[in-house]
Amino acid sequence: MFNKAEKIREKYIREEMWPSIFCTGCGIGNVLSYTMRALDELKLDIDRCVFCSGIGCSSRLPGYIEADGLHTTHGRAIAFATGVKLAAPDLNVVVFTGDGDLAGIGGNHFIHAARRNADLTVICVNNFNYGMTGGQVSPTTPVAAVATTAPYGNLEEPFDLCRLAIGAGAPYVARWTVGYPYETIEAIKNALAKPGFAFVELLMPCPTGYGKENEQREPAVAWQWYKENTITRGDLGRLDPEQRAANRKIVVGTLWDVQKPEYTARWAEFVQSL
Amino acid sequence: MGDEFDYQRVMDILGSREQFTQGDVACAYGALLGGCTFFAGYPITPATEIAESLARLMPRIGGVCAQMEDEIASISAVIGAAWTGRRAMTATSGPGFSLMQENIGYACMTETPCVIIDVQRSGPSTGQPTEPAQGDMMQARWGTHGDHALIALAPASVQECVDLTRLAFDLAEQYRTPVLVMTDGEVGHMREKIALPTAEQVTLRERRRPTMPSDQFVPFRAVQGRVPEMADFGTGYHTYVTGLTHDERGLPATDDAAVHTQLVARLCGKIEDAVAELTRVEIDNDEGATVGLVSYGISSRSAAGAVKLLRLQGVPVSHLRLVTVLPFPEQAVREFAAPLERIVVPELNLGQICHTVREAVEGTAVVEKVARIGGEIIQPAAIVRAVQEGGQPVRSG
Ligand SMILES: Cc1ncc(C[n+]2csc(CCOP(=O)(O)OP(=O)(O)O)c2C)c(N)n1
Ligand code: SF4
Ligand SMILES: [Mg+2]
């Protein structure tokens, strides 16, 4: 396992970028290694992959990958990625984004890309806050959680990003926490293999931004919280109906997986038909 | 993905070389003849006809045309497409141009070739959607934050919508920069006869791409001149593109004053120092004139009309029309101004480029303006009056 991790790192990581900017106890490094594993297992040609991102800690991910990368402006990663994909449908286009980047400033691009259904793999690192700017409230911050711009506790209802993606038309939607490595790798593989807009939400501890005000400053405590407060879809299904109805834990798993015509393929067909 | 261009394929779709059409449609023709194969846009008067034309034409030449969710997405998609090797464009008007500003800066910082057409309408805000204006000229110069430079061209006729849009794509590739085509609602909607270029007239200036092995390629190091070679995504060069201050490898170096200074100096310098080769002006000098007009875009037609009227009355007057507005042809304007006592600048705004003219002539001539807003183009008679009786004063803003 260790050997394999070393090999994958050698193969995919941009060494000049090390050490990373991420804080101790941050889960973004895990997202990176799970994605690399997924790419490796699918044997994707790294020369034919483009990693796009917006702005935020999570959006720094493409910089650490020895591949083409497009680190864009805050919220716009999916729109840039759409341009890449429409212009060069043969490329594998992956988007790394944060909860703020995706659902705050970039929400419009998110729903429209899900609707359009061009073949993008969108990996959203949800840490319940704006990590890079120091812990402000985000569109996924739970009610009553404290943030630097919600010092008395958040009053707004958060988005359920996965339901939003499903509602907007995404054919593949999964949610995991970084505490589920193998399941996450599988989900990223599924997303990469899915022809169409595939969305993977990864819940992830941010001890520095979100943790400091919400009793998750200690990395070990933060990681524990994600274990205790999530339930897999399978486990939920095994509960009796009453318990299931009473469940307040965040459901993780493959939440949606359907077949739909992919946009760039439709465009190519249409151009052919003229 | 190269920018392979097939003149005959484009002309088969565009039809006859001589046509009678609108400025907006002509911009679409110019784009296709400039090798554009990717358009992303969002509807807005008076630019919509560009998107509508390309929606019809682009798939017929095998290109891509997308209506995005807004103008921010449009310019984003254009930049993304450019990195795959395509010649890409968007078109908009004032409100959309405002929305694009952040990513125009991103295109400057990442040296992404792209073309943006702004069919200017009367602002601020939603203003007079159907009325022409030239009110975005300073936004073209300084709309995005931070020090930067880019290229802006100003067509004054439907023919020039073809020619300058076509040229914009070559300049974008040559300098790796956004190029703005600053037209307006009048030029965009008026109909004139155009002659499309012949195959011989259309030779695209190819993007300079690296040929060296990828481990030797330094993506933001300019080996020849000040414009680095650009590796298309998907070709194995592993380029990291970021709007953060980056070193020659493209890697973030955000707290290094020297890296930032060098980078921004090169980005500005590659455009500003090329002003001589980028300068396109039309000069109509009159022996003995002490008054001259400096104009651009639709207002240059009013100016040309005024020149005719004045000369009929025996009043000598010179005229310089800016085809390139940015980088500002300072030297050309200064030389034009040398024999003059007064310069009158007609514009469809309350005074924008007149300030740049005043700065360029540095007091050697008095700069006055004919500023008009509200939606009607400037009558030549108004410029005649300004020449004979004095124009409106230009004051520091
Ligand atoms: C247009 C714009 N507005 C605001 C910012 C400042 N900003 C940088 S990162 C960020 C929040 C990022 O949050 P998220 O996407 O959740 O990423 P995280 O850092 O939490 O991974 C903000 C608001 C910016 N860079 N650009
Ligand atoms: S602020 Fe939070 S998200 Fe950002 S690097 Fe630190 S722990 Fe990770
Ligand atoms: Mg976040």
Side-chain angles (χ1 to χ4, degrees):
Chain A
M1 169 84 190
F2 179 73
N3 249 344
K4 190 162 181 192
E6 275 299 293
K7 263 210 194 105
I8 284 181
R9 186 176 161 144
E10 244 168 64
K11 195 163 159 191
Y12 295 106
I13 295 300
R14 203 185 275 279
E15 282 301 334
E16 312 96 283
M17 288 290 285
W18 234 251
S20 80
I21 61 158
F22 308 128
C23 311
T24 312
C26 175
I28 295 179
N30 300 65
V31 176
L32 179 60
S33 63
Y34 303 160
T35 308
M36 301 300 91
R37 277 288 287 274
L39 289 169
D40 201 61
E41 287 178 20
L42 288 179
K43 299 194 167 49
L44 288 185
D45 179 0
I46 196 74
D47 287 354
R48 304 293 292 161
C49 296
V50 179
F51 298 89
C52 302
S53 66
I55 298 290
C57 298
S58 37
S59 289
R60 287 297 193 98
L61 275 171
Y64 298 99
I65 307 173
E66 179 58 44
D68 290 329
L70 194 60
H71 178 227
T72 69
T73 47
H74 192 28
R76 315 305 169 195
I78 289 177
F80 279 85
T82 300
V84 173
K85 186 68 195 182
L86 268 52
D90 292 344
L91 296 179
N92 296 299
V93 184
V94 178
V95 174
F96 291 112
T97 178
D99 45 309
D101 196 64
L102 177 90
I105 190 165
N108 200 30
H109 309 306
F110 175 37
I111 55 173
H112 283 277
R115 170 182 69 78
R116 193 178 290 117
N117 198 34
D119 185 14
L120 303 176
T121 295
V122 176
I123 300 173
C124 177
V125 175
N126 182 359
N127 55 10
F128 300 130
N129 83 123
Y130 287 13
M132 174 152 274
T133 40
Q136 293 78 30
V137 71
S138 99
T140 59
T141 306
V143 172
V146 175
T148 59
T149 47
Y152 306 107
N154 178 31
L155 298 181
E156 296 185 19
E157 288 293 329
F159 268 138
D160 179 329
L161 299 178
C162 289
R163 284 175 65 184
L164 192 56
I166 294 167
Y172 180 84
V173 178
R175 178 194 289 128
W176 291 99
T177 82
V178 285
Y180 288 93
Y182 294 102
E183 291 81 353
T184 302
I185 293 166
E186 256 337 277
I188 297 175
K189 279 167 66 181
N190 291 338
L192 285 165
K194 186 84 193 177
F197 186 92
F199 180 67
V200 180
E201 177 186 5
L202 295 178
L203 304 179
M204 181 209 85
C206 165
T208 311
Y210 186 72
K212 67 175 185 243
E213 302 289 352
N214 297 291
E215 287 153 25
Q216 294 179 28
R217 187 199 287 275
E218 274 303 308
V221 175
W223 282 72
Q224 189 58 31
W225 185 93
Y226 287 84
K227 268 217 177 81
E228 286 168 5
N229 290 279
T230 54
I231 180 167
T232 65
R233 214 174 145 215
D235 286 346
L236 183 71
R238 281 185 281 276
L239 296 179
D240 63 51
E242 237 165 77
Q243 282 176 308
R244 207 179 308 149
N247 174 56
R248 291 292 168 269
K249 291 185 179 179
I250 302 168
V251 181
V252 296
T254 306
L255 303 180
W256 197 249
D257 191 357
V258 297
Q259 301 300 326
K260 273 183 122 174
E262 191 274 331
Y263 181 74
T264 59
R266 283 179 85 165
W267 179 267
E269 247 170 65
F270 151 68
V271 167
Q272 277 302 312
S273 75
L274 287 174
Chain B
M1 174 85 39
D3 37 17
E4 291 148 45
F5 176 71
D6 183 345
Y7 173 82
Q8 203 46 54
R9 185 168 188 196
V10 172
M11 285 309 296
D12 286 348
I13 305 303
L14 299 191
S16 70
R17 278 196 49 236
E18 295 211 341
Q19 298 191 27
F20 186 72
T21 193
Q22 260 192 348
D24 278 357
V25 175
C27 285
Y29 289 4
L32 297 179
L33 287 164
C36 175
T37 59
F38 188 98
F39 178 86
Y42 190 83
I44 186 167
T45 303
T48 305
E49 289 87 344
I50 300 175
E52 288 173 343
S53 300
L54 288 170
R56 191 167 48 80
L57 299 168
M58 195 61 103
R60 295 189 173 272
I61 64 146
V64 177
C65 184
Q67 179 169 319
M68 299 300 288
E69 51 274 19
D70 59 30
E71 288 86 347
I72 302 176
S74 302
I75 179 78
S76 301
V78 160
I79 295 169
W83 274 98
T84 72
R86 290 204 189 233
R87 293 182 167 220
M89 175 177 99
T90 184
T92 188
S93 187
F97 193 50
S98 293
L99 286 179
M100 289 182 187
Q101 291 303 329
E102 184 190 13
N103 282 341
I104 291 175
Y106 180 83
C108 291
M109 191 62 151
T110 57
E111 304 181 71
T112 308
C114 57
V115 173
I116 299 133
I117 300 185
D118 178 6
V119 189
Q120 296 170 85
R121 68 190 223 183
S122 180
S125 190
T126 314
Q128 298 172 291
T130 59
E131 304 295 348
Q134 296 178 304
D136 303 352
M137 300 309 295
M138 280 298 130
Q139 190 182 19
R141 178 63 191 96
W142 291 118
T144 198
H145 57 282
D147 293 299
H148 64 281
L150 40 60
I151 297 171
L153 309 170
S157 65
V158 178
Q159 179 68 51
E160 270 192 338
C161 286
V162 179
D163 300 341
L164 296 184
T165 304
R166 199 160 68 79
L167 172 68
F169 282 92
D170 273 354
L171 296 179
E173 295 294 340
Q174 191 184 347
Y175 294 94
R176 281 189 62 178
T177 180
V179 178
L180 311 176
V181 180
M182 301 299 291
T183 151
D184 66 83
E186 194 70 26
V187 170
H189 280 167
M190 72 188 181
R191 286 173 184 276
E192 288 182 317
K193 200 171 139 189
I194 55 167
L196 298 176
T198 61
E200 293 69 44
Q201 287 167 328
V202 181
T203 44
L204 299 196
R205 195 183 266 269
E206 283 281 319
R207 175 175 301 186
R208 277 176 45 236
R209 297 177 164 89
T211 49
M212 62 184 77
S214 62
D215 57 347
Q216 286 166 32
F217 180 57
V218 186
F220 293 90
R221 175 179 295 165
V223 184
Q224 233 182 72
R226 279 200 269 186
V227 183
E229 290 166 341
M230 185 169 175
D232 300 343
F233 280 171
T235 56
Y237 282 92
H238 297 176
T239 309
Y240 182 57
V241 181
T242 178
L244 290 171
T245 291
H246 45 275
D247 60 23
E248 291 184 329
R249 298 171 301 173
L251 306 184
T254 54
D255 45 16
D256 190 324
V259 169
H260 182 78
T261 309
Q262 241 174 45
L263 174 65
V264 176
R266 180 175 66 75
L267 296 183
C268 293
K270 73 176 180 180
I271 310 274
E272 284 165 0
D273 296 347
V275 62
E277 57 185 274
L278 285 167
T279 289
R280 279 177 174 71
V281 293
E282 255 179 35
I283 296 173
D284 176 8
N285 268 334
D286 206 345
E287 197 74 26
T290 57
V291 186
L293 308 176
V294 174
S295 69
Y296 60 94
I298 187 67
S299 298
S300 65
R301 298 178 69 142
S302 313
V307 167
K308 240 185 224 157
L309 292 174
L310 284 160
R311 287 183 187 164
L312 277 175
Q313 296 174 34
V315 182
V317 61
S318 294
H319 180 199
L320 180 148
R321 176 167 82 93
L322 300 162
V323 178
T324 314
V325 181
L326 298 174
F328 189 75
E330 188 177 44
Q331 188 61 27
V333 170
R334 197 176 294 150
E335 280 164 20
F336 171 75
L340 304 175
E341 287 166 16
R342 286 166 54 221
I343 293 176
V344 176
V345 184
E347 296 181 87
L348 291 183
N349 55 46
L350 289 181
Q352 296 197 12
I353 292 299
C354 61
H355 293 286
T356 318
V357 172
R358 189 161 80 143
E359 203 177 294
V361 305
E362 280 183 300
T364 61
V366 176
V367 177
E368 297 163 0
K369 65 187 180 185
V370 177
R372 173 161 198 156
I373 58 172
E376 272 166 52
I377 61 170
I378 299 169
Q379 296 298 320
I383 302 172
V384 168
R385 214 174 312 120
V387 167
Q388 290 182 322
E389 298 162 23
Q392 299 151 272
V394 176
R395 295 197 188 89
S396 300

